[in-house]
Amino acid sequence: MSQLRAPAARSERREGGRHGRSGARTATTGAAGAGSAQSSAPLPAEARIRSQLLRTSVLPAVAVALGGAAAVLFTIRSTGAETTPGLWAALTGAAAITVASVTAAALGADRAAKAVFDRAGALRRSTARGQDELGSIVEQLRRGESLEPRPRLPPHRPPATNSTCWPPN
């Protein structure tokens, strides 16, 4: 059964990374690479996802907060309004709400990153389990054993054509 043997490893798959990129990349800091070289180990996936989500959720909130603060300061200075204790209380309250919203955005990004990372881990485990099952099936076939029939899946029901028909029968 020669068709069941593992294929020979090809050199383009053993060396290098994805999509034609070289496998061993090092990052340097500073102009013209004069800075110290960072570690060649990439960040874990969780750190990359978390930092991206943090940037995409916190930066817009900070930008809006800064724009709002600039508008308030411009309005106060251009109108010549007196800075009364009531105005200071309102500005302090607005600043507290701003800090709370930026904190909430950061916490939301952290939760979303954790959920994405957990889902990716579950998919990795599921894929590894499937590959192990395939490997055991290949070994059974190599030994000449017969395979158990696959369990039948339930019949597929097409979706209802009338959108007002809920729940489907």
Side-chain angles (χ1 to χ4, degrees), residues 106-133:
L107 290 175
D110 193 48
R111 285 190 193 125
K114 184 175 179 351
V116 166
F117 189 70
D118 289 346
R119 179 66 180 145
L123 288 172
R124 281 189 201 104
R125 287 188 298 276
S126 173
T127 301
R129 224 178 4 258
Q131 287 179 344
D132 288 343
E133 289 174 10

Side-chain angles (χ1 to χ4, degrees), residues 9 20 23 27-28 31 41 43 51 59 69 73 85 95 101 103 141-142 145 152 154:
T28 58
L43 288 174
S51 65
L59 287 179
L73 289 175
S101 67
T103 304
L141 290 174
R142 283 187 183 153
E145 299 174 11
R152 297 204 108 205

Side-chain angles (χ1 to χ4, degrees), residues 59-76:
L59 287 179
V62 169
V64 168
L66 290 175
V72 167
L73 289 175
F74 177 76
T75 303
I76 289 172

Side-chain angles (χ1 to χ4, degrees), residues 141-157:
L141 290 174
R142 283 187 183 153
R143 290 189 301 259
E145 299 174 11
S146 62
L147 298 176
E148 299 174 9
R150 291 177 59 178
R152 297 204 108 205
L153 296 176
H156 177 70
R157 289 180 39 181

Side-chain angles (χ1 to χ4, degrees), residues 24-135:
R25 295 188 302 182
T26 58
T28 58
T29 57
S36 63
Q38 295 177 350
S39 66
S40 62
L43 288 174
E46 184 178 9
R48 290 191 308 258
I49 292 171
R50 187 163 280 139
S51 65
Q52 281 182 331
L53 286 173
L54 192 63
R55 279 193 304 268
T56 57
S57 64
V58 171
L59 287 179
V62 169
V64 168
L66 290 175
V72 167
L73 289 175
F74 177 76
T75 303
I76 289 172
R77 296 208 36 142
S78 67
T79 59
E82 287 184 33
T83 53
T84 62
L87 178 62
W88 281 114
L91 290 176
T92 303
I97 290 172
T98 301
V99 168
S101 67
V102 170
T103 304
L107 290 175
D110 193 48
R111 285 190 193 125
K114 184 175 179 351
V116 166
F117 189 70
D118 289 346
R119 179 66 180 145
L123 288 172
R124 281 189 201 104
R125 287 188 298 276
S126 173
T127 301
R129 224 178 4 258
Q131 287 179 344
D132 288 343
E133 289 174 10
L134 284 175

